[in-house]
Amino acid sequence: MPASKKLQIAECSTKCRSKQDAAKLISVICRSTDIESLIYLITKGICNNPGKVTDANGRSSLHLAAAVGKLKVIEWIVTVKNGQLNAKDLESGYSALHRALFHGQVHVAKVLISQYNANISLQDYDGLTPLDHLSFDRSTFPKNYGFHFVAPTNSCGKHDVYVWGANSNYNLGLGHHTLKPSPDLNEFFRKDGMVKNAQISKFHSAFVTDNGGVYTCGHGRGGRLGHGHSESLLSPKQIKTLQEHVVIMVSLGIDHTLFLAKNGQIFVCGLNNYHQLGIKDKTELTVPTLLNSAKSKLPTNAKGIAASKFHSLFWTDDELYTWGLHAGQLGHLNNEKSIFAPKLVSSIKGNQKIKQVSSADGAIVVLLSNGDLMAINDYQTRKLASRLSAVIKIEALGGHLDTAKCKNLLVEKGGQDLKVFVLNSIGRISVWQEKAPNLTICLFNMTRELNVSDMAVHRNGLVIITKEGSAYEGIHQPKKDSQSGKLDEAERFFKFLEKDQCDAIKVKRIPFIHRGVKASVDPKGNNFCILQTQPKVDLHDLPQVEKRYTI
């Protein structure tokens, strides 16, 4: 018999789907060199359909060839055996391009894209495209090399500022007012990357740096930018009058701005139409002005601030002060239309310390040290939930105001019902709302659970940052009264949580965000800002061991 007849003849057809054959092909590709693998596959005839057979995990020979960098094998499978270039495996939903980039085979990825037109938009089960894996920072250096590297967190200060949205009021700080449909790096802060906090509102934005400097941009009417004039700024500019202070927090209303210094001092600027600046006889302030001076007899040890459209507030360890248009949301008696200067809220003062405060246009929500969640609106203070533990952030939205206090401004039955989002340390979001006055756990419309590290809410939804650094836009969907029919995949995954008792958050992944740590959004959800840890934050020189010689 001629030598060619001695070759092993495959017993399968060109429609073979044998998982055993696929396992053999994968074994050959993984254990041999590129040329050896190719020769063996051609001569041994393991399978007549090597381009399409998959093993028990849905992996094809092309998947593994891309993962281990076998270019010759890839060329043969794709061009000769009609390999399925964009097929996904069952493990992670990875295509061959996903696997090439995940395993660092950049040369393979280049060939798959340039020569074979591999789809760069395919998403795996985590919603990541192949190029997402290329830029996804896993921060492995700190784990492997310990204290020589700094893990990327919100406290490291090295952040890039990514912005997108309508930008109609220059509040993205990009030097123009053109729409930005997807996240884009604000080049102004790229060089130093020292922004540690950012806030964005309808007409303006503010950025706090690691050394306590404050930059603002946007529409400057009424002096809300704090630069001594009412002109608009297309790009961020540092507020010079605050340079001698270390600012740690900033909060934006629609027409005014609050600044909190490290020493507890509070500064205000902007319009005073509703007395939200807390300083009498002033219609506007174009430069930040000290609010809690010694003359004012207000506490000088403020711990936090918050600004809304009609009012402002600050709190100490155990006291809350509010001022502005009083339409039921300031915590005072219904005998004054406006509170002209900061006034103590007597219903909050007590034995418990204030942990967090969130301010909406029509309500103020306070988290106390004993875990009580308190809401101030409709001229009353009420308890929404008790004994909450490990809460890292609360966000309030909505609340109705008393239209009788300002009929030419407020609309009867306008606004939204009060809604409060609560984020705990294990990354789970719960929500309280008027129609279902109990704290309800929220689940995501995904086959896996998102571990949330930060959130920012707006009228139409919320922005979510995960502990992995990914970002999502979300829409809260209250639970239905009854459910019937078959469970979908996400429901089966979370059925142990009694999904019929949980609200849903429908999420969509935000592109180009892989190392996000903090999010901000304007009240209507038209403009967004996310701080991302810089990719180079982990790149430090490895320690050099000094060589000592003895004579």
Side-chain angles (χ1 to χ4, degrees), residues 1-29:
M1 182 180 293
S4 60
K5 299 279 188 176
K6 296 181 179 180
L7 294 176
Q8 181 179 355
I9 301 175
E11 296 180 355
C12 62
S13 67
T14 55
K15 296 182 179 181
C16 176
R17 291 293 186 269
S18 171
K19 298 190 182 301
Q20 290 78 13
D21 286 357
K24 292 178 183 178
L25 291 170
I26 289 172
S27 178
V28 170
I29 293 171

Side-chain angles (χ1 to χ4, degrees), residues 92 94 123-128 133 446 448 468 472 509:
S92 308
Y94 285 2
Q123 294 185 349
D124 59 23
Y125 294 155
D126 291 331
L128 299 175
H133 283 282
M446 301 180 68
R448 65 186 182 94
E468 295 175 344
Y472 296 83
R509 192 167 181 276

Side-chain angles (χ1 to χ4, degrees), residues 44 70 168 186 250 350 367 374 428 459 473 475 519 547:
K44 294 299 182 181
K70 303 294 177 61
S168 55
N186 188 316
V250 62
L367 178 67
M374 312 296 293
R428 179 164 292 168
R459 182 181 300 178
E473 289 185 83
I475 298 176
K547 295 182 179 179

